[in-house]
Amino acid sequence: MRRELDITTDRIDEAALLQRRELPGDMGAVIYFLGVVRGVEEGRPIAAIEYEVFDLMARRQFDLIFDQVEKRWPVASIRLVHRVGRVAAGEPSLWLETIAPHREAAYAASQFIIAEMKRVVPIWKKPCPAAS
């Protein structure tokens, strides 16, 4: 299974990511997920989210998650980009691509990755209040 992980302070460039997609001929499902910072957190307006990461541990946890995906579903490729640092409301903080032979596996693997990421990967978010 192809694996790509990028934890970065750079903006997520969807067009560049799509151009680098490798789609094996026996794969029929490509799922993209884009997580965007909402302008409201816990009912209050925010300007941004400040993401903090324990980088080495986060990479290890993502590897473990990807290992589990590889054992459970016939996934050909996972590419994940998580932005850290200050991410303004309306900007993407997460991009995930999952490629599998069929949609059921691609959707299930994608949902699993995001749920496990939120549960075990040491990336913390702190809302930055909007200016009054």
Side-chain angles (χ1 to χ4, degrees), residues 57-58 61-62 65 68 115-123:
M57 181 60 79
Q61 292 298 80
F62 275 120
I65 292 167
Q68 291 177 56
E116 284 299 288
M117 177 192 75
K118 289 183 168 285
R119 191 176 74 79
V120 301
V121 176
I123 297 176

Side-chain angles (χ1 to χ4, degrees), residues 26-118:
D26 58 343
M27 295 295 121
V30 180
I31 303 295
Y32 297 104
F33 174 80
L34 186 66
V36 177
V37 173
R38 293 180 302 272
V40 175
E41 184 79 13
E42 297 180 2
R44 296 187 181 136
I46 63 167
I49 295 277
E50 185 75 35
Y51 290 93
E52 185 179 331
V53 63
F54 180 176
D55 192 73
L56 289 175
M57 181 60 79
R59 291 178 188 283
R60 175 69 180 133
Q61 292 298 80
F62 275 120
D63 279 342
L64 293 171
I65 292 167
F66 296 167
D67 287 346
Q68 291 177 56
V69 168
E70 192 167 25
K71 290 176 186 172
R72 293 176 69 175
W73 295 282
V75 170
S77 175
I78 296 170
R79 295 192 301 153
L80 188 146
V81 180
H82 200 303
R83 193 166 163 200
V84 294
R86 187 180 176 97
V87 182
E91 291 185 5
S93 60
L94 176 68
W95 184 87
L96 172 65
E97 174 192 78
T98 307
I99 298 176
H102 303 284
R103 71 181 179 276
E104 295 86 359
Y107 274 116
S110 295
Q111 289 179 320
F112 175 82
I113 291 164
I114 294 167
E116 284 299 288
M117 177 192 75
K118 289 183 168 285

Side-chain angles (χ1 to χ4, degrees), residues 9-20:
T9 57
D10 295 336
R11 286 186 159 193
I12 294 173
D13 184 346
E14 292 178 83
L17 289 162
L18 293 175
Q19 283 185 332
R20 291 190 309 116

